[in-house]
Amino acid sequence: MSSIEQLERRLERERQARKAAEAIAEEKTREIYDANVRLQQLNNRLEELVGQRTTELAAARDEAIRASKAKSDFLASMSHELRTPLNAIIGYSEILLEESEDLVPSELRPDLEKIRGAGRNLLGLINDILDLSKIEAGKMDVFLESFDVVALLDEVGATVEPLIAKNGNALTVNCEAQLGMLRSDPIKVRQILLNLLSNAAKFTTKGRITLTARRRGLSGGDGVEFEVTDKGIGMTPDQLTGLFRPFSQADASTTRKYGGTGLGLAITRHFCRMLGGDVTVDSTFGEGSTFKVTVPDIDSDTALAAPQPVWEHRVVGTVLVVEDGREATKSLAGPLTQEGYRVITAGGGADGLRLAREGTPDAIILDVVNPEFDGWEILRLLKTDTDLCDIPVILVTVLDDRDMGFALGAAEHLTKPINPKELLRLLARVQRPEVAPDVLVVDDDQSTRAMLRRMLVKEGWRVREAANGAEGLEQLARAVPAVMLLDLMMPEVDGFEVLRAVRQAAAWRDIPVVIVTSKDLTRDELEWLRGHAMDVFQKGAYSRAELIATVRAMVDAARVASSRMVPPGRGGG
Amino acid sequence: MKGIVFTEFLEMVEEKFSPEIVDRIVDGAKLASGGVYTSVGTYDHAEMIRLVSCLSKETGIPTSELMKVFGEHLFGRFSVLYPRYFEGTNSSFSFLENVESYIHVEVRKLYPEAELPSFSCDASEPGHLRLTYQSTRPFAPLAEGLIRGCLAHFGENADLQIEDLSAGAGTAARFVVTQRDARRE
Amino acid sequence: MAKILLIEDNELNRDMLSRRLVRHGYDVLVAYDGASGVEMTGTELPDLVLMDMSLPVLDGWEAAQRLKANPETRSIPVIALTAHAMTADRERALAAGCDDYDTKPIELPRLLEKMQRLLARR
């Protein structure tokens, strides 16, 4: 009996315990539910906050970009506005000096000279600011020309002579006899040397300043090395750091004593790098400084440096090659520089991103073949950076990766070994629209060519000419134009043959061709041309505006096509 | 005190003694809960003291001895019920070092109201582990039983020295575990 | 005495340059905008034209093209005057048919040398 009671008591305890456990479970369930609801609310609020913050940041970024652009524009226009009255100050002081013999009392001459000197000084500073703002805004262009280095040195020497003499210094120019011609931007080289020499003159008293020039094999090919050495005050290692950064003269006391904005060296370095070279400094405090500048021959092939219309001397674009293998980079640089591209190379990811920012390239060639070198990550970073994402990237990969490349935003894709022609074709395709599109004019009549050229150049396009069909095909092989204007009646290879060849080659198939002819066309010929060319203009029967409008439509269409991130149809050629 | 301690205690009594004994001590202890325990509940620790003292009267075994035995039993149950606290530990030292810094931390996350003893630990001397138990409740013998259970669980040969720090109250004690191998050196 | 046509819209620049050229013995005519500059070149047939590029009515590039397209004025040398750092302007000036260019602010000896070289060619 007692054991039954015992069991009953035990059963009762167990039942109660179960109920207690159920109550606890229910309470916990409710707590968990409430906690979830609170979490959900928090989460929603968080998303809202993140969204709000993102909008704020985007607005702040846009504002910063606008402000930066406004700053550049303001500096440019301000410099312009400042220069106009300054020109008058300098000009009239010069006139007074010239006329001083008969009109101005001679004791006023020193004062007039001071006005003129101060005006020129101020003008130099304004020009520096304008240059720097242009560089920062990416509006500084490089104009290539072959020039005589010795003649340039003579001219530079003559220009700085008065400045050198001012502190009782003397200038020695050492140069090899066979410096010859250099293909670069002579105006920028001149300014680089003037900056360095005036700098040397400023910090040296009663000393010797030496300008040396010698031919050198440089990393980017052949070139000239300039060296400016002074026996001036020199710099401490501390002063050397940041020397080439704008607005950072060695220190504030230097500015007080020697004047200047410290912009000259920053501009000098920018110019050197724009020309594919660089500037370095070596200095001992109290003993003097040596600045060394390298300027490579941008196109060492002298055959190509034959006289050409000046507007073709323009650098057609800047290409940044990001890779780790030096050898392949070199093989890329050759054909690119020959076509007028400025090539900068980066040895790794961090370098690549920095140069993409500083060098404002028109295109980036990115090697992702080497597994140790994370090209994919660089591509991702390039494409997620608002400043850089518009720069088209040509990917060098193994075949299987092309889809991934396109998915990550690459514009084009190449496989190793690289075919230089294919590379140039892709580059022409991805070029940013800022670079003037080029139009190839193929006509055997010189005056027609000249007329078309004038017309096209006026529209801001670059023009290449070919005097017959064979030359036309050669020009096509060098680079694919945005549009081709083609005459039909030409000796040897006529326009029909050219058109046939163009439509058969995969690389050329998409080139819009406009026929400009004085031939009386048969119905069959006209039919055939309509099927193979974009438009036919009969000489004398069209207006200039019509032709321009047609070419413009094609150029625009080509731009749209090249900015689309779609792999091009690539055939057998 | 967590309900698991009570439910495990009564199960042990039933197993080692008899269901009658369970019934008698629950009845004799005059418990506010009426002896109705669930492992996820929380109950007054004084009920445990009364249960143990009733059991001591029933069996004639000293309460401290009963608590040590229960501690050893409880540790074995812990290893079955909460294997996750044993992951990554391969010795009594590594487990005991974790009690304060890991297990008690986790228990507090689940049961913020739990009042846990402090169980500080000093392993600065190789081969020796000093554990200091401090509580507002007199369960030092239970702690000793748990430590013995731990040594048994890992199958280790070790000496355990106990130093009472609470003048017989059982609220504070120092346990020194010494590995047999270390002692020989 | 060589006859020079100076086409320049800025009054101060026009005044300065014309005074200095007169001092150096030139016969100086002035025009204030591109259109009248082209017209005066046709009627006055100067020995040389000095032309600012940013001109009202008709800009310097368009004016140069017109001068070079007209058989009557084609052989008259044109020197473009462009602002500092506006390298693109210079290239465009040459493309438009200008024979030479010089940058403002004018450095008189340099400009005189260029003028003399072109005048000697005629």
Side-chain angles (χ1 to χ4, degrees):
Chain A
M1 189 64 197
S2 70
S3 75
I4 290 175
E5 280 170 16
Q6 240 180 55
L7 280 172
E8 276 175 353
R9 277 200 295 275
R10 181 171 173 188
L11 188 64
E12 183 55 29
R13 282 202 303 272
E14 295 292 352
R15 194 181 286 137
Q16 301 265 345
R18 195 195 74 214
K19 284 183 184 160
E22 281 164 359
I24 290 169
E26 198 179 321
E27 194 191 320
K28 290 281 172 201
T29 308
R30 189 173 303 281
E31 275 174 22
I32 290 169
Y33 171 78
D34 289 347
N36 268 334
V37 168
R38 277 197 302 277
L39 267 176
Q40 189 62 48
Q41 282 166 345
L42 258 173
N43 195 26
N44 290 347
R45 176 91 188 109
L46 198 64
E47 269 172 28
E48 201 179 294
L49 279 172
V50 168
Q52 200 178 318
R53 203 81 190 101
T54 308
T55 314
E56 280 169 21
L57 282 172
R61 186 205 59 204
D62 290 350
E63 183 51 43
I65 291 170
R66 259 198 303 279
S68 164
K69 175 145 193 333
K71 188 202 79 179
S72 292
D73 291 349
F74 172 77
L75 277 175
S77 69
M78 203 46 168
S79 309
H80 214 83
E81 295 301 318
L82 289 171
R83 269 207 316 260
T84 310
L86 203 48
N87 282 340
I89 293 170
I90 296 169
Y92 281 102
S93 61
E94 273 175 9
I95 289 178
L96 285 174
L97 277 166
E98 282 165 18
E99 297 174 350
S100 64
E101 278 121 52
D102 19 306
L103 296 171
V104 180
S106 64
E107 59 266 33
L108 289 184
R109 281 189 66 93
D111 291 351
L112 280 173
E113 272 159 11
K114 277 175 202 148
I115 294 172
R116 182 181 58 176
R120 284 212 171 133
N121 200 355
L122 186 52
L123 190 65
L125 298 180
I126 291 170
N127 286 341
D128 278 357
I129 292 171
L130 180 64
D131 278 348
L132 200 71
S133 67
K134 284 187 81 178
I135 290 167
E136 282 181 349
K139 288 179 187 157
M140 184 63 82
D141 294 321
V142 170
F143 293 86
L144 294 180
E145 239 178 88
S146 285
F147 58 93
D148 184 354
V149 181
V150 176
L152 182 87
L153 290 176
D154 287 347
E155 201 248 301
V156 167
T159 308
V160 291
E161 196 57 55
L163 205 62
I164 301 265
K166 211 171 135 194
N167 280 355
N169 295 309
L171 175 69
T172 308
V173 179
N174 295 324
C175 60
E176 297 167 1
Q178 301 94 351
L179 276 171
M181 306 292 280
L182 180 66
R183 189 172 156 81
S184 185
D185 185 329
I187 292 167
K188 294 202 170 53
V189 174
R190 181 177 183 272
Q191 197 171 335
I192 289 167
L193 296 177
L194 287 178
N195 279 348
L196 293 179
L197 286 168
S198 60
N199 219 42
K202 200 170 0 175
F203 296 110
T204 310
T205 313
K206 293 196 179 78
R208 180 157 295 282
I209 292 160
T210 316
L211 169 61
T212 310
R214 54 179 89 88
R215 274 264 156 206
R216 279 281 301 273
L218 305 172
S219 59
D222 202 21
V224 176
E225 183 183 86
F226 301 94
E227 208 176 272
V228 174
T229 303
D230 68 62
K231 298 283 169 224
I233 58 174
M235 282 167 284
T236 63
D238 264 5
Q239 291 172 326
L240 283 172
T241 56
L243 186 65
F244 293 107
R245 256 178 260 138
F247 309 106
S248 64
Q249 246 182 3
D251 58 51
S253 62
T254 313
T255 311
R256 276 197 297 281
K257 188 167 174 195
Y258 296 97
T261 53
L263 293 181
L265 287 176
I267 293 167
T268 297
R269 182 160 77 170
H270 275 296
F271 280 2
C272 288
R273 293 191 172 170
M274 285 175 89
L275 300 178
D278 208 349
V279 55
T280 55
V281 61
D282 195 12
S283 183
T284 310
F285 185 66
E287 288 181 19
S289 310
T290 296
F291 287 84
K292 208 176 273 188
V293 168
T294 52
V295 180
D297 239 322
I298 295 193
D299 185 353
S300 50
D301 188 347
T302 45
L304 282 172
Q308 279 180 347
V310 279
W311 51 87
E312 282 190 9
H313 285 235
R314 224 186 137 89
V315 170
V316 298
T318 301
V319 178
L320 169 63
V321 180
V322 186
E323 238 209 5
D324 62 341
R326 305 290 308 168
E327 213 175 314
T329 308
K330 255 188 177 168
S331 72
L332 285 180
L336 289 176
T337 45
Q338 220 159 74
E339 286 300 320
Y341 285 99
R342 186 166 76 93
V343 180
I344 13 182
T345 55
D351 215 22
L353 288 168
R354 182 178 60 78
L355 289 171
R357 216 174 283 286
E358 290 175 4
T360 58
D362 298 293
I364 297 173
I365 299 174
L366 178 61
D367 184 356
V368 291
V369 169
N370 191 324
E372 282 158 22
F373 172 67
D374 198 355
W376 297 114
E377 179 61 11
I378 299 168
L379 179 59
R380 196 187 63 74
L381 290 171
L382 284 170
K383 287 298 159 195
T384 50
D385 188 310
T386 48
D387 291 336
L388 308 176
C389 61
D390 290 336
I391 306 173
V393 176
I394 296 180
L395 219 51
V396 180
T397 66
V398 291
L399 266 177
D400 303 347
D401 299 332
R402 56 180 281 174
D403 289 341
M404 178 157 169
F406 292 133
L408 281 173
E412 288 291 352
H413 162 272
L414 273 175
T415 49
K416 278 190 172 177
I418 292 165
N419 173 356
K421 277 194 186 146
E422 176 75 354
L423 174 62
L424 289 170
R425 196 179 68 78
L426 291 186
L427 266 178
R429 209 184 262 267
V430 303
Q431 280 271 294
R432 304 168 93 185
E434 285 85 2
V435 174
D438 79 19
V439 179
L440 176 60
V441 177
V442 188
D443 199 318
D444 60 341
D445 176 27
Q446 204 268 328
S447 62
T448 306
R449 283 206 309 275
M451 187 272 295
L452 288 172
R453 149 158 266 155
R454 264 207 307 282
M455 213 163 101
L456 295 164
V457 165
K458 201 161 170 294
E459 294 300 314
W461 296 319
R462 291 179 296 130
V463 177
R464 282 188 288 152
E465 289 180 21
N468 57 52
E471 260 184 52
L473 291 172
E474 269 171 42
Q475 285 291 345
L476 283 176
R478 282 186 58 193
V480 175
V483 177
M484 173 160 73
L485 300 188
L486 180 64
D487 184 21
L488 291 175
M489 303 295 286
M490 290 183 290
E492 289 171 38
V493 182
D494 69 16
F496 290 100
E497 277 182 63
V498 172
L499 191 53
R500 212 168 286 128
V502 165
R503 292 305 174 230
Q504 274 165 11
W508 299 343
R509 195 173 290 150
D510 299 331
I511 302 173
V513 178
V514 178
I515 304 294
V516 182
T517 183
S518 51
K519 186 182 189 303
D520 267 336
L521 296 166
T522 65
R523 181 185 290 268
D524 282 352
E525 283 172 332
L526 200 59
E527 202 72 38
W528 187 85
L529 285 173
R530 292 233 164 96
H532 290 80
M534 301 292 284
D535 222 325
V536 180
F537 286 90
Q538 303 258 0
K539 278 179 194 168
Y542 65 90
S543 80
R544 178 180 151 144
E546 275 171 49
L547 179 61
I548 289 292
T550 304
V551 175
R552 182 186 304 285
M554 290 169 184
V555 165
D556 290 346
R559 275 180 179 168
V560 171
S562 70
S563 64
R564 239 185 268 137
M565 285 170 188
V566 172
R570 203 163 299 134
Chain B
M1 183 172 261
K2 292 312 299 173
I4 178 92
V5 183
F6 290 88
T7 55
E8 288 300 329
F9 176 75
L10 292 180
E11 269 178 36
M12 183 195 77
V13 175
E14 183 177 326
E15 192 184 298
K16 290 211 157 113
F17 302 95
S18 72
E20 287 80 12
I21 301 279
V22 173
D23 193 56
R24 281 212 293 274
I25 62 170
V26 166
D27 196 39
K30 306 273 183 272
L31 304 165
S33 67
V36 174
Y37 300 114
T38 145
S39 61
V40 289
T42 304
Y43 308 91
D44 185 357
H45 73 279
E47 293 197 359
M48 177 55 68
I49 294 167
R50 278 200 222 117
L51 283 168
V52 175
S53 77
C54 281
L55 182 62
S56 171
K57 274 182 207 138
E58 288 284 338
T59 59
I61 305 168
T63 54
S64 62
E65 198 53 39
L66 285 169
M67 275 206 245
K68 283 179 213 167
V69 171
F70 173 52
E72 278 186 72
H73 170 81
L74 190 59
F75 192 90
R77 293 291 298 150
F78 281 167
S79 69
V80 173
L81 294 168
Y82 309 111
R84 55 183 296 234
Y85 293 120
F86 288 79
E87 279 164 22
T89 57
N90 51 14
S91 71
S92 58
F93 276 28
S94 63
F95 185 88
L96 291 170
E97 280 175 89
N98 272 344
V99 169
E100 177 94 346
S101 60
Y102 170 54
I103 297 174
H104 281 181
V105 172
E106 293 297 310
V107 170
R108 275 198 191 89
K109 284 185 200 165
L110 291 173
Y111 306 102
E113 76 285 1
E115 290 176 56
L116 302 169
S118 113
F119 210 64
S120 66
C121 164
D122 169 15
S124 56
E125 195 182 340
H128 298 267
L129 189 68
R130 280 164 204 281
L131 296 155
T132 308
Y133 168 88
Q134 262 183 311
S135 176
T136 54
R137 291 79 182 267
F139 291 115
L142 184 62
E144 183 189 333
L146 284 165
I147 293 169
R148 289 192 191 281
C150 177
L151 293 172
H153 173 83
F154 288 102
E156 287 171 15
N157 268 330
D159 284 332
L160 181 63
Q161 284 173 299
I162 304 107
E163 189 187 340
D164 179 21
L165 303 176
S166 60
T171 53
R174 179 174 299 126
F175 304 98
V176 181
V177 187
T178 307
Q179 283 175 346
R180 286 266 165 82
D181 309 6
R183 196 179 235 186
R184 254 188 254 122
E185 277 169 26
Chain C
M1 200 192 323
K3 185 156 66 167
I4 310 292
L5 173 64
L6 171 62
I7 314 176
E8 163 72 84
D9 62 320
N10 181 289
E11 192 195 331
L12 293 178
N13 286 338
R14 201 169 57 228
D15 177 51
M16 283 192 293
L17 192 51
S18 58
R19 269 171 68 180
R20 298 172 86 178
L21 291 174
V22 168
R23 258 188 74 81
H24 281 85
Y26 291 102
D27 186 3
V28 180
L29 303 167
V30 293
Y32 305 163
D33 64 69
S36 60
V38 170
E39 198 189 314
M40 276 181 79
T41 312
T43 53
E44 299 285 338
L45 296 174
D47 298 298
L48 186 137
V49 175
L50 288 172
M51 183 163 65
D52 180 34
M53 287 285 111
S54 47
L55 289 172
V57 189
L58 194 65
D59 71 27
W61 296 282
E62 188 67 37
Q65 281 186 347
R66 294 207 186 163
L67 291 177
K68 292 302 172 182
N70 181 348
E72 306 221 326
T73 54
R74 181 178 290 161
S75 60
I76 300 172
V78 178
I79 297 181
L81 302 176
T82 64
H84 161 86
M86 300 294 167
T87 327
D89 288 358
R90 282 175 230 165
E91 309 297 335
R92 277 176 64 210
L94 294 182
C98 293
D99 300 84
D100 205 343
Y101 62 81
D102 204 8
T103 52
K104 295 200 260 184
I106 299 299
E107 272 184 42
L108 199 62
R110 192 176 64 197
L111 179 64
L112 289 175
E113 198 186 304
K114 287 180 180 176
M115 289 169 61
Q116 275 148 19
R117 204 163 46 222
L118 287 169
L119 288 169
R121 226 190 268 166
R122 271 165 72 81

